[in-house]
Amino acid sequence: MTKKATVARKQGLLPTPSIPTDLPSIDLTDNSRQVLERRYLRRGEDGKPMESVDEMFWRVSYHVAKAEEKWNGDVIERARDFYHLLVSKKFFPNSPTFTGAGTPLGQLAACFVLPVNDDMGKDAAGIFQSLRDAALIQQTGGGNGFSFSRLRPKGTLVNSSAGQATGPVGFLRVYDHAFGEIAQGGTRRGANMGVLRVDHPDIEDFISCKTNENQITNFNISVGITDDFMRAVEKGEKWALRFPDVLSPLYRGFKGTLEQAEDAGIPIRVYEKVNARELYGKIVKQAHHNGEPGMLFLDAANRDNPVPHLYALESTNPCGEQWLGPYESCCLGSVNLAEHCAPDGEVDWEEIRKSTVLATYFLDDVVDVNAYVPAVPQLMDAAQSARRIGLGIMGLADMMYHVGARYGSLSGQEFGAQVMEFVRYHAMQTSISMAKERGVFPAIDDSIYDPAKLIWQKPESVVPYTKKWGRPDLDWDSVVDGIRAHGIRNAAQTTVAPTGTIATVAGCEGYGCEPTFALAYVRHVDDNGTDLQLTYASPRFDKALTA
């Protein structure tokens, strides 16, 4: 096989060299193969697959590796490396990379966060402009996160029309209805996250807006919690529901957070004072009722914001694992720990290191080859400014079975911490190496990684380490020294995602960092209106019983 490979041209796919004949095939269970074929293979107008499973993995590997052209790299050789990594099931990217790479659409990110400013039509991030941008993202199969906290409370005067404001919950319903219509014609229903600050005057309506589970079905919702609110809960104090005074001349044209309004000298109006514990109790009661709302800790997130000079963090992606700034996206992938088990209950740390290094290159390449949504150019600008990637894990529970650490125990907590620290360490070391080769992320000046005034500090475990499990020592001082000398390529490097479909295809028993769902169960898959039933049992549990 040479670089002058025969190029395969198929309807709905970009030109792709034929898969080299010496590459191996992936080993999948029947269940995994059925899910993969239904979710990831490109199909023609007749509904039949246009590619084999191995061709799909080659398509993804090749088109992600095309980023190497920018660095005068050997695309075919890097594609071969990526292919081996994928078919070994040691690493999978997020689902949109499988479905979008090598296609005219070319949108490879799972989720985005869009700003929603208090404006009906003039602002580029106004209510309906952001709805338009979100609709275009939804058409590509992407999901969205929004904070509605900048919208004026329901019933507030609107000067331009002398009418009353709809309020955040009203516009949340507008967005939900629009996304419901888009989902009917799409191939992958994009999820959404709606966030409202705990001090917004409409917070109580927001907390209960999904009590009826047939309403707002296209959104997860979460309350944005502040440190001050939790302190008020602890002390049983009154809690002020407040918003910038929309009648103040200083508010006109303002777009920002409540804290930014205070810093700008805009008067803040207190609409009501409520008992903090009672408000917290309403959140807990509603969450117990049907799992929503969730809670997102705004101040904690912003303390760890890698680029505070660009924005304050206000929302996460739909699943809540990744905070993002305006127009930023999730470029996610996961190391499959179940494929890194050594004999005799040991961990193959060297293989985890190798997988982490190559996966970090893979995700950085995705940032460059992703077409995003051309009609929303802010998406590409934001992605390439911070070059966020999110390398995580799946199959943690599988590996815990293997090493004999009980999930949820102190030993299990320590093991999980050591594994993720190891992945983070080598992802950061690789990002530093890429900074030397390819350059730092453009927004590094004034970030926590600015080599001239480095703020980032090496991590410390929240649980004491009492056992090593054979893990090599980590030299975090070398990471600090590396950033000072060379900077870093990616403003964020790791994220632990839920890994729904990719963990199913990889054959993991434990998705993401979660415990095993059940030792035996039947999974119901919607197969174009047909109920496809897949039966699962735990091979690792069975092995333990017969050991």
Side-chain angles (χ1 to χ4, degrees):
M1 181 69 186
T2 68
K3 285 187 278 189
K4 294 181 179 179
T6 302
V7 174
R9 296 177 181 271
K10 297 181 180 180
Q11 182 182 14
L13 295 175
L14 299 179
T16 304
S18 298
I19 182 172
T21 56
D22 63 329
L23 290 181
S25 295
I26 190 170
D27 181 23
L28 296 171
T29 65
D30 289 342
N31 285 353
S32 295
R33 186 172 294 275
Q34 288 198 62
V35 173
L36 183 151
E37 290 176 348
R38 284 164 170 78
R39 296 291 179 89
Y40 294 156
L41 295 190
R42 298 292 294 185
R43 298 177 181 273
E45 293 180 358
D46 59 1
K48 295 180 180 180
M50 296 187 295
E51 59 186 352
S52 68
V53 171
D54 291 340
E55 286 173 335
M56 182 276 293
F57 281 109
W58 177 247
R59 164 174 59 81
V60 173
S61 301
Y62 172 76
H63 285 281
V64 172
K66 286 194 72 176
E68 298 294 322
E69 292 175 343
K70 186 176 181 180
W71 315 109
N72 299 315
D74 188 323
V75 172
I76 293 297
E77 282 305 308
R78 181 47 62 93
R80 291 173 65 91
D81 293 340
F82 287 164
Y83 180 88
H84 281 288
L85 181 66
L86 295 178
V87 300
S88 69
K89 299 179 290 187
K90 291 181 178 177
F91 163 81
F92 277 175
N94 52 209
S95 289
T97 302
F98 282 122
T99 57
T103 71
L105 188 66
Q107 204 291 91
L108 313 185
C111 306
F112 300 80
V113 161
L114 296 178
V116 184
N117 286 333
D118 192 28
D119 177 86
M120 291 285 282
K122 297 178 182 178
D123 194 285
I127 296 165
F128 287 102
Q129 182 64 35
S130 285
L131 178 57
R132 171 260 189 193
D133 294 346
L136 293 172
I137 291 170
Q138 290 267 323
Q139 286 181 324
T140 72
N144 298 286
F146 312 88
S147 174
F148 293 94
S149 301
R150 298 186 182 193
L151 302 188
R152 65 186 67 192
K154 181 180 179 180
T156 304
L157 179 67
V158 179
N159 283 331
S160 60
S161 64
Q164 294 186 335
T166 300
V169 176
F171 284 117
L172 172 61
R173 296 183 192 278
V174 171
Y175 275 45
D176 177 71
H177 183 76
F179 296 150
E181 294 300 318
I182 295 167
Q184 292 178 15
T187 57
R188 180 179 186 264
R189 179 169 171 168
N192 298 282
M193 170 67 80
V195 180
L196 195 69
R197 291 176 58 113
V198 72
D199 48 17
H200 193 283
D202 291 355
I203 188 61
E204 293 186 87
D205 288 342
F206 181 79
I207 290 168
S208 61
C209 71
K210 292 191 68 173
T211 300
N212 182 338
E213 295 174 21
N214 294 317
Q215 295 183 1
I216 313 184
T217 57
N218 299 295
F219 270 86
N220 298 324
I221 63 169
S222 289
V223 176
I225 301 294
T226 63
D227 289 350
D228 285 343
F229 175 71
M230 294 310 299
R231 282 190 282 267
V233 172
E234 287 181 330
K235 297 176 181 178
E237 295 176 342
K238 289 289 187 179
W239 178 246
L241 305 182
R242 57 206 189 108
F243 195 82
D245 185 356
V246 300
L247 299 181
S248 169
L250 295 174
Y251 183 75
R252 188 170 301 161
F254 172 76
K255 34 192 164 182
T257 65
L258 182 63
E259 291 83 2
Q260 289 167 339
E262 290 177 314
D263 291 343
I266 298 174
I268 306 299
R269 176 185 169 190
V270 175
Y271 283 69
E272 183 182 2
K273 288 189 175 182
V274 299
N275 184 287
R277 285 185 182 174
E278 290 179 2
L279 183 59
Y280 183 72
K282 290 179 180 180
I283 296 172
V284 172
K285 181 178 179 180
Q286 184 60 38
H288 182 266
H289 171 65
N290 62 3
E292 295 194 89
M295 294 170 61
L296 298 174
F297 294 88
L298 297 169
D299 294 325
N302 279 290
R303 280 193 289 272
D304 290 329
N305 182 359
V307 284
H309 61 300
L310 296 185
Y311 48 69
L313 292 167
E314 299 178 73
S315 180
T316 68
N317 69 331
C319 293
E321 78 272 15
Q322 180 60 67
W323 291 87
L324 296 168
Y327 300 106
E328 287 190 325
S329 54
C330 289
C331 176
L332 306 178
S334 300
V335 173
N336 180 7
L337 298 176
E339 297 293 335
H340 293 82
C341 297
D344 303 319
E346 299 294 322
V347 176
D348 194 334
W349 295 105
E350 176 59 15
E351 281 302 305
I352 295 178
R353 185 195 67 79
K354 290 178 181 177
S355 296
T356 298
V357 170
L358 189 53
T360 303
Y361 272 94
F362 184 103
L363 294 177
D364 189 69
D365 283 350
V366 168
V367 173
D368 284 330
V369 300
N370 192 345
Y372 303 95
V373 181
V376 190
Q378 301 98 315
L379 301 176
M380 181 179 289
D381 293 343
Q384 296 189 348
S385 176
R387 302 194 66 85
R388 283 177 174 267
I389 61 172
L391 180 62
I393 56 173
M394 56 184 173
L396 176 63
D398 304 54
M399 184 170 269
M400 283 185 169
Y401 279 146
H402 178 71
V403 302
R406 184 174 65 82
Y407 194 101
S409 66
L410 292 176
S411 175
Q413 292 176 45
E414 179 184 345
F415 180 74
Q418 293 215 31
V419 168
M420 199 59 220
E421 182 189 7
F422 189 81
V423 171
R424 184 185 184 191
Y425 175 82
H426 287 290
M428 292 191 73
Q429 288 282 25
T430 306
S431 189
I432 292 168
S433 295
M434 286 193 292
K436 292 164 60 177
E437 302 164 8
R438 304 178 174 187
V440 299
F441 68 92
I444 195 169
D445 290 347
D446 296 322
S447 76
I448 66 171
Y449 296 114
D450 187 340
K453 45 185 176 183
L454 184 63
I455 298 174
W456 179 85
Q457 297 179 336
K458 57 188 179 182
E460 295 184 5
S461 175
V462 296
V463 295
Y465 289 170
T466 60
K467 184 177 178 180
K468 292 191 65 174
W469 283 280
R471 196 192 79 171
D473 292 333
L474 304 178
D475 181 10
W476 281 105
D477 288 334
S478 69
V479 174
V480 174
D481 294 341
I483 296 172
R484 285 204 174 105
H486 308 291
I488 197 164
R489 177 74 171 165
N490 312 99
Q493 309 86 30
T494 53
T495 299
V496 181
T499 70
T501 302
I502 64 170
T504 300
V505 173
C508 295
E509 294 188 41
Y511 290 9
C513 63
E514 299 169 15
T516 299
F517 172 73
L519 297 177
Y521 62 97
V522 175
R523 180 175 181 175
H524 297 264
V525 178
D526 183 1
D527 184 19
N528 292 321
T530 302
D531 181 19
L532 175 64
Q533 298 186 21
L534 303 177
T535 301
Y536 289 85
S538 171
R540 293 187 181 275
F541 183 70
D542 184 63
K543 182 179 179 180
L545 289 177
T546 56

